[in-house]
Amino acid sequence: MFTRLRHTCSPTGFREDQSTTKLADIWTIEELLEVLLLVATNTTCKVNICLFVDALDEHDGNHRDLISMLKRLVQLTGTSFFRIRLCLAGRPENVFKDAFQSCPGFAVHEHTTKDIKLYAEGRIHDGLGGALTDEGQRQLKFLTDNIVEKAQGVFMWVKLVVNELIEGLCEGDSIEELRELLSTIPTELEELYIRAIQRPRSTSCRILRQHRHEAYIMFQIAIYARRPFGLYDFVAATLFLITQKGASPEFQSLSIDQLHRRLNSRSAGLLESTTNGVQFIHQTVKEFMSTGKGKQAISGDLLDWSNDSGFLLIYRYLLGLLVDLLSDERDIYEQKFLHSDFEYYAQEVDSESGICAGQYLDMSISKFQECEAFDVLRQLVTYKHGTNWASVFSLMRHGRHAYLLLFYVLYGLPRSLGERISSHKGETIDPYSYEILKAAIDARLAACPKHLPFCCLEILLQAGLGASLSAAQFSLLDERSGGALSLSTTNERGQRLWDKLREEKTSKVSSTSPVLSRGRGRGRGKNTTLLQSLRRGSPNSSKRRSSR
């Protein structure tokens, strides 16, 4: 464990993989606890650790598992040399209230009155842009007192309300008029989010419609992004999805301040750019925007573009980046983003969204020349599966149907695989059946329960792809599966298809048994040599090749 600590480049548990330049070896909770336990039980000097854990309620996993882990951390304090303390924060959900009811604590919103008043007074005073008369000071105090009273300690509500009041100041509203405006603002956060999105602005209907479209895309990307986008890439992705064009020189000339302003105006201040990337200003905003009510608040009656989910939008953006793989001046960041995340979003679209990811891929590469389309997919295969499968992929260079089937199998896209097979029934792939089925078996052995790549094997068998296999080839595939098919209780149909194919190949072997059972005769030697030559990685076959 300490050896691993020495070779890890960062305390977060990430290290840079020298061969693929991608993040690998993320530490597990158990490993982190083990390290702390080793420190706690072996230290000979006093160690005091204080951990601050914010936003417990925003934990993506099981809340009870999180609580269990935190309590195990506290239990590490077992010697006079080692002490660990925790400071936890989060919304008071029942599961956390029950778990930590015996621990000292307080409600933050009961102690924010003074801060809220200072924040509101300061921003509104700055918005007025000059010194106030005595009457103006009195009215400002009365206004901020009203804000504090309606806020009920919720800083997020204050921030959005003050933003709207300052907009009024920019339009020349008096403080009295601001008080009237404040009286119309709802106290519930969800209603306030809807108001922020739908609030009329001084712009034309055409521009307003475009802004709402842009806002919809921004919110969808922020909700479904695997990891937060940087500000530039976030705005670039949004503009690409609206215009279907790459970053124009005009866009590339925008300053950071202009990008911030664009993000703020389109999202009505509900998104912000931080050091971690673009994200919602609060978890409650993300939760609301993920509901049908939130989606309706943005799109309204403009339903011609509001059916695309965030997964599909990001996947379409990634497809737009494929052309960069052909450029001599490649954007290193975009290339890494494309390589590392293409599989994730393609699988989400193919499996979760119920949309055929392959159709969108087909449309994108159809804009390239045939050799370019092949090269783009080969680069993706090389990054994901290494040079071995890339070499197999290269053998199919002149068989577009075959290499697309192999690509869908390697990337775990069963829906795309099935659609491709059903729409190209007349095209033969017999010379490549063995390699495609082998890829499907490998995908089955490494299957992620969420995406079930082993469905690809069932689809291939149902399409009759195994019919052209020789008995020796099937024997190798059957051995390669290692009985893995029989472990699946959810894929009985695939198991039956595999068993049926086994029976067919076995009967063919039986029918040729006189040839195969000549003892030490010449026929047996030929068939054994054939079997060994097909067996990849066999030591005997490699020796035979080297002796030749």
Side-chain angles (χ1 to χ4, degrees):
M1 182 60 64
F2 285 115
T3 301
R4 183 171 182 186
L5 274 172
R6 287 197 301 272
H7 291 289
T8 300
C9 296
S10 106
T12 60
F14 290 101
R15 67 177 174 80
E16 192 75 11
D17 189 312
Q18 297 296 327
S19 61
T20 60
T21 64
K22 60 182 179 181
L23 293 176
D25 292 347
I26 301 175
W27 285 32
T28 65
I29 296 297
E30 292 301 323
E31 289 172 334
L32 287 170
L33 288 173
E34 184 180 351
V35 169
L36 283 173
L37 180 61
L38 287 171
V39 173
T41 56
N42 291 282
T43 183
T44 56
C45 59
K46 288 189 176 182
V47 176
N48 286 298
I49 298 176
C50 184
L51 299 178
F52 293 86
V53 185
D54 190 19
L56 295 180
D57 53 289
E58 298 180 22
H59 174 56
D60 290 334
N62 186 289
H63 287 347
R64 297 190 185 281
D65 290 342
L66 174 62
I67 291 169
S68 175
M69 185 270 291
L70 293 172
K71 289 187 174 182
R72 288 171 64 187
L73 281 176
V74 175
Q75 293 169 0
L76 294 178
T77 302
T79 69
S80 58
F81 289 102
F82 186 83
R83 184 182 184 188
I84 187 168
R85 288 169 288 183
L86 299 178
C87 180
L88 312 177
R91 283 183 288 176
E93 297 184 0
N94 289 333
V95 64
F96 298 118
K97 291 172 67 176
D98 293 342
F100 303 117
Q101 59 183 341
S102 60
C103 301
F106 61 91
V108 175
H109 67 268
E110 295 176 356
H111 302 270
T112 56
T113 300
K114 183 178 179 180
D115 293 326
I116 287 176
K117 187 170 184 177
L118 287 173
Y119 172 82
E121 281 183 351
R123 287 203 60 196
I124 294 174
H125 190 278
D126 291 343
L128 287 169
L132 292 175
T133 63
D134 291 342
E135 178 60 21
Q137 290 284 4
R138 188 186 67 80
Q139 290 185 358
L140 176 59
K141 182 179 182 305
F142 193 64
L143 176 64
T144 53
D145 287 344
N146 285 349
I147 293 174
V148 170
E149 182 181 354
K150 294 191 68 173
Q152 298 179 344
V154 181
F155 233 114
M156 186 53 54
W157 184 91
V158 177
K159 181 177 180 179
L160 294 175
V161 168
V162 171
N163 285 345
E164 184 170 348
L165 295 178
I166 289 178
E167 284 185 15
L169 286 175
C170 291
E171 298 298 325
D173 291 355
S174 66
I175 293 183
E176 182 62 32
E177 288 172 322
L178 294 183
R179 285 177 54 196
E180 294 179 6
L181 176 62
L182 179 63
S183 66
T184 67
I185 297 178
T187 56
E188 294 296 324
L189 282 177
E190 283 194 2
E191 297 301 319
L192 185 60
Y193 298 153
I194 295 174
R195 179 186 177 93
I197 294 167
Q198 297 182 341
R199 188 167 68 247
R201 291 173 174 81
S202 54
T203 185
S204 68
C205 293
R206 181 186 63 80
I207 295 177
L208 179 60
R209 178 187 174 91
Q210 180 178 325
H211 285 190
R212 288 172 66 185
H213 188 188
E214 197 171 338
Y216 173 81
I217 293 174
M218 285 182 170
F219 286 128
Q220 288 293 304
I221 292 176
I223 291 170
Y224 290 98
R226 189 181 188 183
R227 58 182 67 87
F229 282 53
L231 177 60
Y232 178 89
D233 299 289
F234 188 86
V235 178
T238 303
L239 290 178
F240 171 82
L241 291 166
I242 291 175
T243 64
Q244 299 301 307
K245 298 178 183 178
S248 64
E250 291 79 8
F251 169 71
Q252 294 176 357
S253 66
L254 292 178
S255 66
I256 295 297
D257 180 64
Q258 288 172 305
L259 293 176
H260 276 286
R261 287 173 178 271
R262 190 181 191 100
L263 176 68
N264 184 67
S265 67
R266 303 309 192 264
S267 70
L270 299 180
L271 292 173
E272 63 181 354
S273 177
T274 69
T275 54
N276 294 324
V278 175
Q279 57 192 25
F280 288 96
I281 59 175
H282 197 262
Q283 180 68 11
T284 56
V285 184
K286 182 177 181 179
E287 292 171 357
F288 173 68
M289 299 310 302
S290 301
T291 65
K293 189 176 180 180
K295 185 176 179 180
Q296 178 64 25
I298 310 171
S299 60
D301 57 348
L302 309 178
L303 300 178
D304 52 329
W305 44 258
S306 60
N307 292 322
D308 289 350
S309 71
F311 287 134
L312 179 56
L313 290 169
I314 299 173
Y315 177 61
R316 284 172 48 200
Y317 173 59
L318 288 174
L319 291 176
L321 296 180
L322 289 178
V323 68
D324 290 347
L325 297 180
L326 302 172
S327 173
D328 293 331
E329 299 178 359
R330 300 176 182 176
D331 186 308
I332 299 300
Y333 173 80
E334 287 185 350
Q335 190 175 355
K336 282 189 175 183
F337 173 47
L338 180 60
H339 281 149
S340 62
D341 285 2
F342 185 86
E343 179 186 42
Y344 172 79
Y345 289 109
Q347 287 184 348
E348 290 292 350
V349 169
D350 212 65
S351 303
E352 298 295 309
S353 302
I355 300 171
C356 183
Q359 291 181 355
Y360 286 90
L361 176 63
D362 233 355
M363 287 188 292
S364 294
I365 63 176
S366 65
K367 301 172 185 176
F368 304 147
Q369 296 181 12
E370 186 61 34
C371 60
E372 294 176 334
F374 174 82
D375 186 54
V376 163
L377 298 185
R378 184 186 56 78
Q379 288 189 53
L380 292 174
V381 169
T382 302
Y383 182 86
K384 178 69 175 65
H385 294 279
T387 55
N388 288 340
W389 276 113
S391 299
V392 174
F393 194 80
S394 295
L395 295 175
M396 306 179 185
R397 174 181 294 273
H398 301 295
R400 183 186 179 98
H401 181 51
Y403 72 64
L404 279 175
L405 292 185
L406 179 60
F407 184 86
Y408 295 150
V409 169
L410 291 174
Y411 271 79
L413 305 175
R415 185 183 299 274
S416 298
L417 180 68
E419 288 286 339
R420 180 78 192 179
I421 289 175
S422 63
S423 61
H424 293 73
K425 290 182 178 179
E427 297 190 37
T428 178
I429 54 170
D430 289 350
Y432 312 111
S433 297
Y434 173 76
E435 299 293 355
I436 294 174
L437 285 168
K438 185 170 72 171
I441 289 174
D442 287 353
R444 168 64 186 95
L445 295 175
C448 166
K450 183 176 181 181
H451 296 294
L452 303 177
F454 67 81
C455 290
C456 291
L457 181 57
E458 178 183 341
I459 292 169
L460 294 171
L461 294 174
Q462 183 67 34
L465 204 68
S468 62
L469 295 175
S470 68
Q473 286 176 324
F474 178 80
S475 177
L476 291 177
L477 292 178
D478 200 26
E479 181 181 345
R480 191 180 190 88
S481 71
L485 291 176
S486 61
L487 297 178
S488 172
T489 58
T490 60
N491 192 27
E492 295 179 359
R493 185 180 182 186
Q495 182 65 56
R496 288 196 301 270
L497 290 169
W498 189 258
D499 292 341
K500 182 180 179 181
L501 186 59
R502 182 186 289 114
E503 291 176 3
E504 293 174 358
K505 301 304 175 183
T506 303
S507 64
K508 286 184 179 180
V509 172
S510 300
S511 66
T512 58
S513 56
V515 177
L516 295 174
S517 58
R518 294 181 184 177
R520 297 181 181 179
R522 193 173 178 184
R524 180 179 179 181
K526 281 187 176 180
N527 282 281
T528 304
T529 302
L530 172 63
L531 184 63
Q532 288 178 338
S533 67
L534 288 169
R535 191 183 303 277
R536 290 182 174 271
S538 169
N540 294 331
S541 61
S542 61
K543 288 179 182 179
R544 185 174 290 104
R545 287 193 296 272
S546 62
S547 65
R548 289 177 184 174

